[in-house]
Amino acid sequence: MITEAAIPITGAEILVRCLAEEGVEHVFGYPGGAVLYIYDAIFKQNKFQHILVRHEQAAVHAADAYSRSSHKVGVALVTSGPGVTNAVTGLSTAYMDSVPMVVISGQVPSHAIGQDAFQECDTVGITRPVVKHNFLVKDVKDLAATIKKAFFIAKTGRPGPVLVDIPKDISMHKCVYDYPQVIEMRSYKPVDKGHSGQIRKAVQLLLQAERPMIYSGGGVILANAAPELNKLVDKLGFPCTNTLMGLGGYRASSDLYVGMPGMHGTYEANMAMQHCDVLIAVGARFDDRVIGNPKHFASHPRKIIHIDIDPSSISKRVKVDVPIVGNVKDVLAEFLTQLDAAEAKVNAPELKNWWKQITEWRGRDCLKYAGSELLIKPQAVVEKVWQLTKGDAFITSDVGQHQMWAAQYYRFDKPRRWINSGGLGTMGVGLPYAMGVQLANPGATVACITGEGSIQMCIQELATCKQYHLTPKIILLNNRFLGMVRQWQEIDYGGRYSESYMDSLPDFEKLAEAYGHVGMRIDKPADVDGALKEAFGMKDKLVFMNFITDQAENVWPMVKAGKGLSEMLLGSEDL
């Protein structure tokens, strides 16, 4: 008798079963000719829900945020040709921020590859620079093992997006389903445990430090290492800064937290980064927006400890003294173990003097802004959102001034609550990010803080929200400019606002209503609090809040491109 397991099934059915085996609950996608066998198989199954977006870029962004806000691997499905080229921006966004994700793309039939067939493109070649790895499946018998490898590669080592390209004939060919339980890849052996000897050296440096600094990045979030980081910082009593990608890794409510570093970081964080004598970088990569000019950064000698899962990131931009390759969570756990075993004490007298200096820098109150009874200040809106949600919401953002204000004024105490595009700086991610977050975290409060330029890039996803009853609160800080572009043009280009003014904006409230949602316009400071309370009170509705904000407001502090961390502009008076 032939068992069901021995009956050959189509490649499309194999793919659907593989996704179910991986525990996938949502797939974001858009159908097209090359993936219709796959969509037919999806129609016949009930293991996961497919979310129909309105643009392939949004599918990948939503899958990206689904992953960022959970412990799961996001999954997107796109068709060949323009389907996959539309997905490239989303892939690059996830790749720059090391987000684990699997994207399935359709391809023309195998015999037509290379023949300039309808909706054909070289998917493997196009996506190679913006994925951790990609596959072209050439035999249906390889499909199940390829999907297993894709998920394994995406979520281990330094995470990242993996693409699997499936020709249409492969999705219709048949073979017996056999999904491997474990996968062995001779060429891919990521390291988890850090070298104990290197950790011992690092511990000694930290205990001897007179001006220590803990610099935490997105690797802490990705490795789920926030509990270990919080224990380490609290145990040592050292100042800690979280990068834009690391917000929430160490709780912002602690007195040991000195704010975000970098281009729009706090004065105290940047000065401490620049003048410390021992710096430990935890899952961070010393990128240009954090340390500014590398030569200026190196002008103050310091010992640097660098923990990273990716050896290629260590000493890439800044030479380090104690490199530690390993999973951040495992390495920090070993740090804590060694500190307990040593029963050693930090350099208390010098640490007290160091904190005295940091407190003096804090006294500059660099995030203070002037209020107004006539104009809505964007910073005030973000602070009200933080107060109203008690700091417990998931906040997505697009890219620009609003992103920086959200990072500065919403104080994150938990990891995976701040969802934004850090490395690539992709406008348009905010709304699809909010969709992915809400599907990964049903019942949670989700708010998208955006600008009038960014929101229009994926505004069609309001239709997706309507179809699937997604109810994020959209907070548009509308200054009628491409705000960050305008700020740079004001500072560096003599106030020549070339193509940065948005003089033909839609009526956002009516547009939201046209999609079946609630639209609100707020143009008076006195109405901000009430509008936010009303909007967040509507739990079952997407509310689009159009806040008409001060056009002239800039993001301060600011480190101009090419400048060093201690060369900050604290306001327009420094220009």
Side-chain angles (χ1 to χ4, degrees):
M1 187 174 91
I2 300 176
T3 64
E4 184 179 349
I7 299 174
I9 59 176
T10 67
E13 292 167 325
I14 288 170
L15 171 63
V16 166
R17 282 204 196 179
C18 291
L19 296 178
E21 290 258 16
E22 288 292 336
V24 172
E25 297 177 342
H26 295 93
V27 174
F28 302 88
Y30 200 92
V35 288
L36 286 183
Y37 285 109
I38 297 172
Y39 271 89
D40 194 47
I42 289 174
F43 183 85
K44 298 172 185 175
Q45 60 83 47
N46 60 4
K47 299 294 185 182
F48 58 82
Q49 182 183 18
H50 180 275
I51 305 298
L52 176 65
V53 298
R54 274 33 178 193
H55 192 287
E56 291 89 353
Q57 181 174 335
V60 185
H61 289 329
D64 173 347
Y66 189 92
S67 176
R68 290 183 198 241
S69 64
S70 69
H71 299 265
K72 305 166 187 174
V73 177
V75 179
L77 172 60
V78 300
T79 194
S80 63
V84 77
T85 58
N86 281 345
V88 168
T89 298
L91 284 165
S92 186
T93 301
Y95 179 70
M96 287 287 281
D97 291 343
S98 303
V99 178
M101 185 167 62
V102 173
V103 174
I104 312 296
S105 60
Q107 183 56 276
V108 299
S110 301
H111 69 269
I113 293 177
Q115 302 297 313
D116 293 333
F118 177 68
Q119 290 195 332
E120 180 194 359
C121 71
D122 178 7
T123 297
V124 168
I126 287 171
T127 62
R128 184 176 288 121
V130 294
V131 295
K132 185 176 178 183
H133 194 66
N134 59 19
F135 298 91
L136 172 63
V137 182
K138 297 180 179 179
D139 190 322
V140 70
K141 294 175 184 175
D142 298 330
L143 180 55
T146 301
I147 298 299
K148 184 71 176 182
K149 289 177 183 177
F151 276 87
F152 177 67
I153 293 170
K155 61 189 177 183
T156 56
R158 180 178 182 173
V162 177
L163 179 134
V164 181
D165 200 31
I166 305 175
K168 188 170 184 177
D169 56 313
I170 301 300
S171 67
M172 63 179 282
H173 288 170
K174 291 185 177 183
C175 73
V176 173
Y177 176 73
D178 181 20
Y179 196 61
Q181 294 305 304
V182 294
I183 205 77
E184 186 72 19
M185 299 177 68
R186 190 170 59 181
S187 60
Y188 179 64
K189 303 282 185 182
V191 174
D192 285 331
K193 302 293 183 183
H195 191 283
S196 292
Q198 291 292 89
I199 295 174
R200 195 173 301 112
K201 286 182 189 176
V203 167
Q204 289 305 311
L205 270 179
L206 289 172
L207 294 176
Q208 294 165 10
E210 297 181 357
R211 301 184 308 280
M213 182 70 177
I214 298 174
Y215 156 48
S216 156
V220 170
I221 310 294
L222 292 164
N224 300 313
E228 289 78 9
L229 177 68
N230 277 262
K231 285 180 185 177
L232 182 69
V233 177
D234 292 346
K235 186 178 187 67
L236 294 172
F238 292 173
C240 180
T241 181
N242 294 334
T243 67
L244 181 71
M245 297 308 302
L247 294 178
Y250 183 71
R251 63 192 187 283
S253 58
S254 170
D255 288 339
L256 301 178
Y257 181 63
V258 295
M260 183 175 69
M263 178 171 278
H264 294 294
T266 66
Y267 183 73
E268 53 267 32
N270 283 348
M271 293 298 282
M273 284 277 286
Q274 188 68 10
H275 295 286
C276 64
D277 68 340
V278 175
L279 175 66
I280 176 169
V282 187
R285 56 190 179 89
F286 294 93
D287 68 280
D288 58 305
R289 289 297 174 100
V290 168
I291 67 163
N293 186 326
K295 289 184 178 179
H296 183 277
F297 186 70
S299 65
H300 286 261
R302 62 179 76 74
K303 295 292 184 181
I304 298 178
I305 304 158
H306 192 179
I307 306 169
D308 205 289
I309 189 71
D310 182 4
S312 72
S313 289
I314 294 178
S315 289
K316 187 175 184 177
R317 299 195 76 242
V318 171
K319 187 179 184 300
V320 306
D321 300 281
V322 184
I324 302 172
V325 178
N327 181 280
V328 168
K329 190 176 185 73
D330 294 327
V331 173
L332 290 183
E334 177 69 15
F335 260 88
L336 290 164
T337 299
Q338 290 201 22
L339 281 168
D340 288 339
E343 296 184 355
K345 304 295 183 183
V346 298
N347 191 340
E350 293 300 333
L351 182 60
K352 184 177 180 180
N353 290 332
W354 180 226
W355 270 113
K356 184 178 179 182
Q357 173 63 78
I358 292 171
T359 301
E360 186 179 315
W361 288 328
R362 258 183 181 157
R364 301 289 293 270
D365 197 8
C366 66
L367 295 182
K368 183 173 63 176
Y369 60 93
S372 172
E373 294 183 359
L374 300 176
L375 298 172
I376 295 175
K377 294 293 183 176
Q379 305 96 319
V381 176
V382 175
E383 285 188 315
K384 288 289 186 184
V385 174
W386 173 65
Q387 292 165 4
L388 184 62
T389 60
K390 298 179 172 61
D392 202 38
F394 287 84
I395 303 294
T396 75
S397 85
D398 278 289
V399 172
Q401 287 181 317
H402 62 271
Q403 175 193 26
M404 294 299 107
W405 285 316
Q408 290 174 330
Y409 294 95
Y410 196 101
R411 296 175 63 80
F412 294 92
D413 273 352
K414 298 177 183 178
R416 297 186 182 273
R417 295 301 176 101
W418 167 238
I419 314 297
N420 81 122
S421 168
L424 195 64
T426 307
M427 293 174 68
V429 298
L431 179 53
Y433 271 2
M435 297 179 343
V437 168
Q438 191 163 40
L439 285 162
N441 303 273
T445 299
V446 182
C448 168
I449 297 177
T450 186
E452 72 286 347
S454 289
I455 191 64
Q456 293 188 83
M457 292 193 172
C458 279
I459 202 164
Q460 73 284 341
E461 299 310 316
L462 288 172
T464 306
C465 292
K466 182 64 177 177
Q467 180 174 348
Y468 297 99
H469 310 291
L470 302 177
T471 58
K473 305 302 178 261
I474 299 173
I475 298 162
L476 173 59
L477 303 180
N478 185 352
N479 59 12
R480 288 83 71 208
F481 269 109
L482 297 177
M484 192 60 83
V485 173
R486 182 203 58 75
Q487 178 168 336
W488 283 53
Q489 287 174 336
E490 176 185 327
I491 294 170
D492 287 337
Y493 299 89
R496 294 180 293 279
Y497 302 130
S498 177
E499 305 302 325
S500 56
Y501 177 61
M502 307 286 282
D503 60 352
S504 57
L505 292 172
D507 183 328
F508 286 108
E509 307 87 81
K510 289 183 179 177
L511 186 56
E513 291 166 2
Y515 278 104
H517 303 300
V518 176
M520 297 170 62
R521 178 186 174 93
I522 307 96
D523 52 18
K524 296 177 183 177
D527 296 335
V528 170
D529 196 35
L532 287 170
K533 287 178 180 176
E534 181 182 355
F536 279 96
M538 290 187 262
K539 303 289 187 185
D540 60 343
K541 294 185 183 298
L542 184 154
V543 183
F544 194 119
M545 289 167 275
N546 181 13
F547 290 93
I548 308 303
T549 62
D550 185 352
Q551 282 190 289
E553 197 68 24
N554 285 333
V555 180
W556 305 111
M558 179 180 181
V559 179
K560 291 176 63 175
K563 296 294 185 178
L565 287 182
S566 58
E567 300 175 303
M568 302 183 73
L569 304 177
L570 298 187
S572 57
E573 66 276 5
D574 290 341
L575 291 173

